Amino acid sequence: MIQKFLNTLIYGVLFFIVFFHSAFAQDMIPFASTPEPVGSGARALGMGGAFIAVADDATAASWNPAGLVQLDRPEMSIVWNGFHRTEDSMSAFSENNEIQRISNQDINYLSMVYPFNLFDRNITLALNYQHLYDFKNEQNFKMSLSDELRDITYEENGSLSAIGVACAIKATPQLYFGVTLNFWNNYFNKWEKSYVSDSLIVWDEANFFVYERWKEEYSFKGVNANIGILWRTPDDKLKIGGVIKLPFTADLKSETKMYQQYEYTGKSIFGYHRNMKIDMPISYGIGFSYRPSDQINLSADIYKTQWQDFIIKDEYGNKISYITGKSSDESDIDPTIQFRMGAEYIFIKSFEKAKFLIIPVRSGIFYSPAPAEERPDDYYGFSLGTGIATNRFSFDVAYQYRWGNNVRSHILPDDMDFSQDISEHNIYSSLTIYF
């Protein structure tokens, strides 16, 4: 019994050192949804997210704020999003493939838009809330090592959202400019992750149990700007848009609590606080929109994000990649480039007294890679959408399917031979009211 006690104590001390270092050094955000900074709205996402040069509704502030000046009357909108994701995980140390199914829903976007004329210039102001990044994630799997059987449960909850104030101006009949100032308040930007592990350890022909639990709570605060430009031909058939989402440094605060209990040596509780900084990367894109007739709209976007600059800076001056959890100097992260294409066809029915009814049909395809070690993970997708619009309101709905095979291998050490097949189903619905 004494020998077993000593062995357990030694193992506990070693595990504490390894686990504490891992929790401290591998502090990254494994985004549940795509971390690409895309915009909002059922109409836009029904067109595959190719909306930089279209940007002619209340969600324009999230795609290209210059497009807001195309609105000619006040309006307000709300966007709802629901998703279901399946993660099929494979690992050399797992007893079998683990399939996780995760669902969530949220208010994706809220906005109020007010256009007016000042000094013979069309100007539009907008106030919006955008739900940007989702951290909803759950993992439950068993690991079988040479001297250990471990049952692990890992959970994340929370998101990143921003309050935006936007302004757009028509500089010339064909050229528009716009800017959105985003406030990432820590009231909205909170999330947590927790880890629970039950282990059966075989140590020197003796069996004993170890129970571990840790929980981390985060808050995020910062300010950045999106700058947009939009040019169109005099006949409005061709439009070219560009947007740049400026980098910024945000404050990140975390509180970590850990609990460990060993079969013979008792339990230990400890925790710590951290005040860190995050460098959020620059991203930029260009879009094209071509309208051969009043009923047909074709669009395409190219969008790039510099994920190698997505860095966490701790209290000691260490710079850690938020993609790999390793030193930024040791991380090999390439930028990601998205390609999106979409189309919209509208059926128009006119009535007396300038009333009308519009029923659109939309579709889109996209390649939307996610940042990863050495090379980005490949994700593909398609979308379908429709809706109904009158002179008083519009209602849109879109379905989007996104998948990636053999992805996210970088989130665990190479010797664990880990990867996932991921598929996501997203439903978006938008309601816009015109005044």
Side-chain angles (χ1 to χ4, degrees), residues 29 133 160-161 182-186 189 191 218-224 246-254 274-281 309-314 322:
I29 303 177
Y133 304 138
L160 289 182
S161 303
N182 299 303
F183 298 90
W184 306 72
N185 191 284
N186 55 15
N189 296 298
W191 69 96
Y218 294 86
S219 66
F220 178 99
K221 184 178 182 180
V223 178
N224 84 306
L246 297 177
F248 66 104
T249 299
D251 295 324
L252 179 67
K253 296 183 179 181
S254 70
R274 301 178 68 188
N275 294 311
M276 299 167 285
K277 300 286 186 181
I278 301 178
D279 288 340
M280 301 295 287
D309 299 327
F310 192 19
I311 303 296
I312 180 172
K313 301 175 182 176
D314 65 18
Y322 244 36

Side-chain angles (χ1 to χ4, degrees), residues 54-74:
V54 181
D56 58 0
D57 63 20
T59 66
S62 66
W63 295 97
N64 180 359
L68 286 168
V69 82
Q70 301 177 95
L71 280 63
D72 56 8
R73 54 179 170 164

